[in-house]
Amino acid sequence: MGSGFTSKDMYLSHFNPRDYLEKYYNFGSRCSAENQILRRLLKSLFKTFCLDGVKGDLLIDIGSGPTIYQLLSACESFKEIVATDYTDQNLQELEKWLKKEPEAFDWSPVVTYVCDLEGNRVKGPEKEEKLRQAVKQVLKCDVTQSQPLGAISLPPADCLLSTLCLDAACPDLPTYRMALRNLSNLLKPGGFLVVVDALKSNYYMVGEQRFSSLPLGQEAVKAAVKEAGYVIEQFEVISQSYSSNMANNEGLFFLVARKLSRSM
């Protein structure tokens, strides 16, 4: 606790979603490390949701942040999507895009890239509309609570997706393990867990603001996921790291697991 891990209150008061989007998801400067990572993630998400058969009725996105990139391929495979985040301003940023407000972040370069991956069956605007129709709710979420969605009751999900959330939400490994168990309460037996996170990152920057990250190693992640009652089906390491002035990670991981049908 003495490490000064970024508190929940600090996120509410200091996390600027617009700065985050401009720094990590602006497809403008072609060769940045951030763009290379985003492309890799989009390819892996496309493979998972469009080629590998991860599909169903309901997907809950845990810790969506202010982003929608992670849902672009998922909306081809799930009838309903629920987006969630702890930080109110991130939920507001998502709502801006869902409602097509003029000041919403422009995701069209990312959407075009995903449409290309998917064989250009539809154009960008049609893809965006499909995702907007699929996102049924935007909810507050706290992964450190035994009921991450609070009093909100949803049917058990077919898939939980979490991208770049858990390492920022959990100050230590016991909390990380507990968060995975908490999330399991939202998932039906046999359901899919898809997680993307940074490896061995202590912090990441949003504008001038520094936010803590739990430095996760591959083996610790695998052990925590298995302990929470999942069987790992895929564990891919992405060797690309963020720009050194943005974060100090050593690559990322992309994990697909399934919740066991019965307790061990």
Side-chain angles (χ1 to χ4, degrees):
M1 295 294 286
S3 63
F5 199 89
T6 306
S7 69
K8 297 175 187 177
D9 286 345
M10 182 68 103
Y11 270 91
L12 292 175
S13 60
H14 285 77
F15 190 90
N16 185 319
R18 205 54 187 224
D19 283 352
Y20 178 70
L21 291 169
E22 294 291 352
K23 292 289 185 185
Y24 290 90
Y25 301 102
N26 183 347
F27 242 26
S29 58
R30 279 264 173 252
C31 292
S32 73
E34 288 65 45
N35 283 350
Q36 289 179 49
I37 288 171
L38 183 53
R39 285 194 192 90
R40 280 294 306 273
L41 295 183
L42 292 170
K43 286 176 182 174
S44 293
L45 290 162
F46 159 67
K47 180 177 179 293
T48 296
F49 292 120
C50 296
L51 302 180
D52 291 349
V54 175
K55 59 186 178 182
D57 292 326
L58 174 63
L59 178 144
I60 304 175
D61 186 30
I62 302 295
S64 306
T67 67
I68 57 98
Y69 74 92
Q70 70 275 20
L71 302 173
L72 288 166
S73 288
C75 75
E76 300 297 327
S77 303
F78 289 87
K79 296 173 186 172
E80 297 187 5
I81 292 172
V82 173
T84 73
D85 202 74
Y86 180 80
T87 308
D88 298 331
Q89 57 267 37
N90 284 341
L91 299 176
Q92 291 160 10
E93 192 69 38
L94 281 175
E95 292 282 10
K96 285 180 189 175
W97 183 83
L98 289 168
K99 294 174 180 175
K100 297 187 187 178
E101 293 180 9
E103 66 271 29
F105 186 72
D106 180 14
W107 285 100
S108 56
V110 177
V111 175
T112 299
Y113 183 81
V114 173
C115 287
D116 192 41
L117 285 177
E118 294 177 1
N120 289 308
R121 296 191 301 272
V122 296
K123 294 275 196 297
E126 189 181 338
K127 178 71 160 174
E128 291 194 34
E129 202 50 44
K130 182 165 188 175
L131 178 53
R132 287 189 177 97
Q133 292 298 321
V135 177
K136 304 301 184 188
Q137 296 187 74
V138 176
L139 301 175
K140 183 96 168 174
C141 176
D142 184 346
V143 299
T144 66
Q145 301 300 307
S146 59
Q147 294 184 312
L149 301 180
I152 302 288
S153 179
L154 293 176
D158 298 284
C159 180
L160 297 181
L161 171 65
S162 183
T163 55
L164 303 172
C165 162
L166 295 179
D167 64 345
C170 300
D172 51 41
L173 207 45
T175 310
Y176 184 82
R177 293 192 197 103
M178 182 182 68
L180 287 168
R181 291 196 296 272
N182 293 341
L183 293 178
S184 181
N185 295 330
L186 302 174
L187 187 64
K188 66 173 56 169
F192 291 95
L193 175 72
V194 180
V195 180
V196 177
D197 247 326
L199 286 167
K200 299 185 178 178
S201 176
N202 292 97
Y203 69 90
Y204 67 102
M205 302 296 295
V206 178
E208 298 301 308
Q209 191 69 47
R210 179 179 168 128
F211 292 91
S212 307
S213 180
L214 175 63
L216 295 164
Q218 293 181 47
E219 296 312 314
V221 172
K222 290 176 184 175
V225 169
K226 290 174 184 173
E227 182 190 294
Y230 297 91
V231 174
I232 296 172
E233 295 197 340
Q234 177 191 342
F235 193 98
E236 173 191 3
V237 173
I238 297 168
S239 58
Q240 177 72 54
S241 295
Y242 288 107
S243 302
S244 57
N245 63 332
M246 304 281 272
N248 68 337
N249 68 313
E250 297 178 22
L252 301 93
F253 71 87
F254 187 99
L255 174 148
V256 180
R258 290 190 91 156
K259 181 177 174 177
L260 290 167
S261 297
R262 52 188 170 73
S263 299
M264 294 295 282

